[in-house]
Amino acid sequence: MIPRLPPLAPGLRVGLYGGSFNPAHAGHRHVSRLALRRLALDRVWWLVSPGNPLKDRSGLPGPAARAAGARAVAADPRIAVTDFEAVLGVRYTVETLRWLTDRHPEVRFVWIMGADSLASFHRWRGWREIAARMPFAVIDRPGYTLKAMASPAARALSGARIDERAAPTLAEREPPAWVFLHGPRNSLSSTALRAGKTPR
């Protein structure tokens, strides 16, 4: 079954922000708006995953339910929420990016991740292929700045890192290329929200 995607057009600059979104919160919106502005993107897609293979998925609500909650939180016409990965039947980010770039080579996709994800990026299946397939941006998160930059993936890809001042050009660059974006940080997390530790 071929999934239905948010609108696309040749040359569109689209940031891909994947996660469980269990639940989506203002921190996700903060990261997306930061990426839209700093990377000069046209759109950001929230890719509501079937479930992170590196995390416990017991008790995880279905993708459609999490996507519905995410749409209520996104509240921005430039942010599209999609659970097409579940329809496609993929489990890993590298599979998603293969599918998108093979079918839409005319679109300028950028992968967006938090600094916490860069810290564990070397554990992702096909992480080197991800870096070779698509430029990516890392958004700083409290408590992860040093861990992220000292991580195996950051060290291995150090030669592909661009200056933060060149961030608006990232979508046009041939991978591997990545940027670490500093700026106002949001400490909200879905884990804390599920535990009732912080307001939404």
Side-chain angles (χ1 to χ4, degrees):
M1 183 176 179
I2 298 177
R4 186 175 180 179
L5 300 177
L8 282 174
L12 204 66
R13 298 156 67 106
V14 178
L16 303 175
Y17 187 25
S20 298
F21 295 95
N22 182 36
H25 53 72
H28 294 126
R29 189 171 60 243
H30 167 79
V31 165
S32 301
R33 288 178 172 169
L34 178 70
L36 282 160
R37 183 176 72 254
R38 299 283 302 278
L39 303 174
L41 301 176
D42 299 303
R43 299 283 187 276
V44 168
W45 292 4
W46 287 5
L47 306 185
V48 179
S49 72
N52 187 334
L54 297 178
K55 294 181 179 179
D56 179 11
R57 288 176 283 170
S58 60
L60 182 68
R66 286 180 282 123
R71 289 187 185 98
V73 171
D76 191 314
R78 300 167 299 172
I79 300 174
V81 179
T82 175
D83 60 350
F84 84 87
E85 288 179 303
V87 177
L88 197 59
V90 299
R91 288 188 62 207
Y92 298 99
T93 296
V94 67
E95 297 172 319
T96 300
L97 303 195
R98 277 180 202 150
W99 191 88
L100 283 171
T101 55
D102 287 349
R103 283 160 182 77
H104 300 283
E106 75 285 357
V107 176
R108 300 295 185 179
F109 289 114
V110 173
W111 182 254
I112 300 167
M113 70 170 86
D116 54 326
S117 292
L118 179 60
S120 62
F121 191 36
H122 61 286
R123 296 175 56 207
W124 294 24
R125 176 171 293 193
W127 67 272
R128 290 181 183 275
E129 181 182 340
I130 291 171
R133 190 169 280 272
M134 189 175 293
F136 67 93
V138 180
I139 312 297
D140 198 9
R141 285 199 66 187
Y144 283 96
T145 309
L146 298 179
K147 290 179 189 174
M149 296 311 298
S151 68
R155 294 198 305 269
L157 297 169
S158 60
R161 182 184 175 193
I162 68 171
D163 190 280
E164 197 167 349
R165 291 169 295 184
T169 71
L170 183 67
E172 306 298 329
R173 291 176 180 260
E174 287 298 314
W178 65 286
V179 65
F180 192 100
L181 296 180
H182 299 85
R185 297 180 295 180
N186 190 301
S187 60
L188 279 176
S189 77
S190 296
T191 303
L193 286 171
R194 289 196 302 275
K197 294 179 180 176
T198 182
R200 226 163 148 171

